């Protein structure tokens, strides 16, 4: 099936934003139950240690759940509804998906994927200490390395700890802030969880359904991102063909001859009228983590520049994309100065001038104020706005709002 580019782009934007929970105000409901619902829909939430503003995993959930509280994520870990592992990066995943992490765990344990080269005896010592003494933070092993001699040398111990985690012998049972608490798998994993490794076909089906559920549409390139092997691709094609036959998905061809697969119920759904929602997105938000998809679908070129040398940055160290309705109107480089209680807009970049600023400025300020408070700040300081001709208007509006 082919469709005009403008119509298709608009439709795909609506489909993916609805699947991502970025159209309705409470797409996943409220409270702690909404956190689990969002995680099961999105498939994963990336964990990041950067704290320029509130960390990515909390930010991503706050964007979708208006009453979100960070402790809910920790509680879901301790209640064994979610677990930590590696997706394309360190992530929280629904416990129901545990068995689909087993192929990676087993490949590391069998030496097929050599992420680490831990000493076997050190691994036994680390595992036995946790098995006998109970859950441990990594700092416990750092202390041992200082007091107990060569068996507990910190660097080999840290490598062993990470390998035991990556191969599934240890799991994260809790966190203290960002510090992990490790325990043996048998004490963390609920006994109701299926631990049968998926077949190659089951794993392919998991990937297909995961991407379709999270984004509404997908491509072969996206589903095989960081995945290798012709067998996987063949199995994905088998699953797609069956879903096409069952009318679960539609196969579309863009004017650029790109093949995409879209959920039939979302594609045929009549677009509901929603008041445009404004979102300040984390750079690690699920909706924008695939940069090529964002460029193709939204015509928005986004790169996180915190890893780019300062003199090469175009927009700033830690920019948050600003989504209004289904259009990215710009981005803002910002920083939460928590000790002083000030939230700094280092540089607000307004890039889309086709949308009347009167439409998005009030929603932007409303969302910004909520985010400022979520970051435990009380006031806003504006350093720079581009283009400069908008600076006075936006500054005055922000200052006026702060006086209310």
């Amino acid at each position: 099936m082919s469709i005009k580019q403008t119509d298709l782009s608009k439709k795909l934007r609506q489909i993916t934003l609805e699947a991502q929970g970025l159209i309705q105000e409470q797409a996943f409901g409220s409270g702690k139950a909404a956190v689990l619902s969002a995680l099961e829909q999105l498939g994963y939430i990336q964990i990041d240690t950067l704290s320029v503003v509130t960390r990515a995993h909390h930010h991503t959930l706050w964007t979708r759940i208006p009453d979100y509280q960070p402790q809910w994520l920790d509680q879901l870990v301790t209640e064994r509804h979610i677990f930590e592992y590696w997706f394309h990066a360190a992530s929280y995943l629904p416990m129901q998906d545990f068995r689909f992490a087993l192929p990676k765990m087993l490949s590391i344990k069998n030496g097929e994927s050599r992420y680490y080269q831990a000493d076997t005896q050190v691994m036994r010592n680390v595992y036995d200490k946790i098995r006998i003494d109970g859950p441990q933070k990594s700092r416990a092993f750092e202390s041992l390395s200082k007091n107990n001699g060569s068996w507990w040398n910190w660097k080999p111990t840290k490598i062993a700890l990470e390998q035991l985690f990556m191969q599934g012998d240890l799991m994260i049972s809790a966190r203290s802030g960002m510090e992990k608490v490790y325990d043996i798998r048998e004490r963390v994993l609920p006994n109701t969880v299926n631990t049968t490794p998926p077949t190659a076909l089951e794993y392919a089906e998991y990937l297909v359904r995961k991407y379709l559920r999270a984004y509404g549409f997908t491509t072969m390139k996206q589903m095989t991102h960081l995945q290798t092997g012709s067998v996987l691709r063949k199995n994905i094609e088998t699953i797609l063909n069956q879903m096409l036959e069952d009318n679960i998905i539609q196969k579309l061809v863009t004017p650029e001859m790109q093949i995409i697969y879209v959920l039939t119920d979302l594609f045929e759904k009549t677009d509901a009228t929603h008041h445009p929602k404004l979102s300040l997105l984390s750079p690690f938000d699920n909706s924008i983590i695939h940069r090529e998809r964002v460029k193709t679908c939204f015509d928005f070129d986004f790169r996180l520049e915190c890893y780019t040398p300062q003199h090469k940055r175009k927009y700033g160290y830690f920019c948050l994309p600003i989504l209004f309705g289904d259009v990215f109107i710009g981005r803002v480089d910002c920083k939460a100065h928590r000790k002083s209680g000030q939230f700094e807009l280092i540089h607000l970049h307004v890039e889309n001038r086709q949308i009347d600023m009167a439409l998005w400025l009030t929603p932007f300020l409303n969302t910004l104020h909520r985010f400022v408070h979520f970051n435990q700040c009380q006031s806003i300081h504006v350093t720079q706005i581009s283009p400069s001709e908008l600076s006075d208007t936006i500054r005055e509006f922000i200052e006026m709002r702060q006086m209310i």
Side-chain angles (χ1 to χ4, degrees), residues 59-76:
H59 186 170
T60 298
L61 290 164
W62 172 87
T63 300
R64 294 161 172 80
I65 304 168
D67 64 341
Y68 174 74
Q69 299 294 322
Q71 65 266 26
W72 291 341
L73 197 55
D74 296 330
Q75 289 169 6
L76 287 170

Side-chain angles (χ1 to χ4, degrees), residues 200-269:
L201 192 62
E202 285 176 327
Y203 185 73
E205 183 176 11
Y206 160 74
L207 288 178
V208 172
R209 293 188 181 278
K210 187 183 189 80
Y211 279 102
L212 285 170
R213 182 174 63 249
Y215 297 101
F217 73 92
T218 190
T219 64
M220 178 64 74
K221 182 177 181 180
Q222 184 172 13
M223 289 182 287
T224 55
H225 179 62
L226 300 180
Q227 306 278 348
T228 59
S230 58
V231 173
L232 176 62
R233 187 182 182 93
K234 182 179 179 181
N235 284 331
I236 287 177
E237 289 174 348
T238 298
I239 298 299
L240 290 172
N241 287 334
Q242 184 60 58
M243 294 176 79
L244 285 167
E245 185 176 329
D246 295 339
N247 198 36
I248 296 171
I249 60 174
Q250 301 287 318
K251 182 177 180 179
L252 307 179
V253 183
T254 70
E256 294 80 20
M257 302 307 292
Q258 182 185 31
I259 297 174
I260 63 175
Y261 301 92
V262 58
L263 286 171
T264 299
D265 59 346
L266 288 180
F267 187 71
E268 294 181 348
K269 184 177 179 179

Side-chain angles (χ1 to χ4, degrees), residues 95-103 193-199 202:
M95 190 64 79
Q96 66 186 24
D97 289 351
F98 179 83
R99 69 185 293 244
F100 297 104
L102 287 171
V193 171
N194 186 348
T195 55
T196 305
T199 65
E202 285 176 327

Side-chain angles (χ1 to χ4, degrees), residues 11-22:
K11 188 70 176 178
L12 292 180
R13 289 199 299 271
Q14 291 294 316
I15 286 172
T16 201
L17 291 175
E18 180 169 346
Q20 282 284 305
L22 291 173

Side-chain angles (χ1 to χ4, degrees), residues 87-287:
F87 191 56
H88 70 273
S91 302
Y92 290 107
L93 298 139
M95 190 64 79
Q96 66 186 24
D97 289 351
F98 179 83
R99 69 185 293 244
F100 297 104
L102 287 171
K104 178 183 280 292
M105 292 177 180
L106 292 172
S107 71
I108 294 171
K109 192 165 190 172
N110 296 335
E112 298 164 15
S113 300
R114 297 188 65 80
Y115 284 87
Y116 306 96
Q117 294 183 353
D119 181 89
T120 303
Q121 185 59 53
V122 175
M123 287 175 65
R124 289 198 194 100
N125 292 342
V126 169
Y127 183 85
D128 285 344
K129 177 172 175 56
I130 295 174
R131 178 178 58 81
I132 295 167
D133 295 345
Q136 300 288 325
K137 299 176 183 177
S138 60
R139 71 170 69 175
F141 297 98
E142 188 173 9
S143 298
L144 282 170
S145 71
K146 294 175 181 177
N147 300 322
N148 288 9
S150 60
W151 276 127
W152 295 107
N153 183 278
W154 172 230
K155 187 175 180 180
T157 301
K158 182 174 175 60
I159 294 172
L161 198 60
E162 286 303 308
Q163 178 156 344
L164 285 165
F165 167 70
M166 287 299 294
Q167 69 186 34
D169 292 320
L170 297 181
M171 294 182 71
I172 308 302
S173 62
R175 275 187 183 258
S176 176
M178 284 301 292
E179 190 175 14
K180 302 172 185 174
V181 180
Y182 295 89
D183 201 355
I184 62 171
R185 172 171 147 181
E186 288 76 11
R187 290 199 292 250
V188 178
L189 192 67
N191 56 20
T192 55
V193 171
N194 186 348
T195 55
T196 305
T199 65
L201 192 62
E202 285 176 327
Y203 185 73
E205 183 176 11
Y206 160 74
L207 288 178
V208 172
R209 293 188 181 278
K210 187 183 189 80
Y211 279 102
L212 285 170
R213 182 174 63 249
Y215 297 101
F217 73 92
T218 190
T219 64
M220 178 64 74
K221 182 177 181 180
Q222 184 172 13
M223 289 182 287
T224 55
H225 179 62
L226 300 180
Q227 306 278 348
T228 59
S230 58
V231 173
L232 176 62
R233 187 182 182 93
K234 182 179 179 181
N235 284 331
I236 287 177
E237 289 174 348
T238 298
I239 298 299
L240 290 172
N241 287 334
Q242 184 60 58
M243 294 176 79
L244 285 167
E245 185 176 329
D246 295 339
N247 198 36
I248 296 171
I249 60 174
Q250 301 287 318
K251 182 177 180 179
L252 307 179
V253 183
T254 70
E256 294 80 20
M257 302 307 292
Q258 182 185 31
I259 297 174
I260 63 175
Y261 301 92
V262 58
L263 286 171
T264 299
D265 59 346
L266 288 180
F267 187 71
E268 294 181 348
K269 184 177 179 179
T270 302
D271 293 337
T273 302
H274 293 282
H275 186 71
K277 179 183 175 184
L278 190 139
S279 299
L280 280 173
L281 299 177
S282 166
F284 300 99
D285 193 280
N286 298 53
S287 65

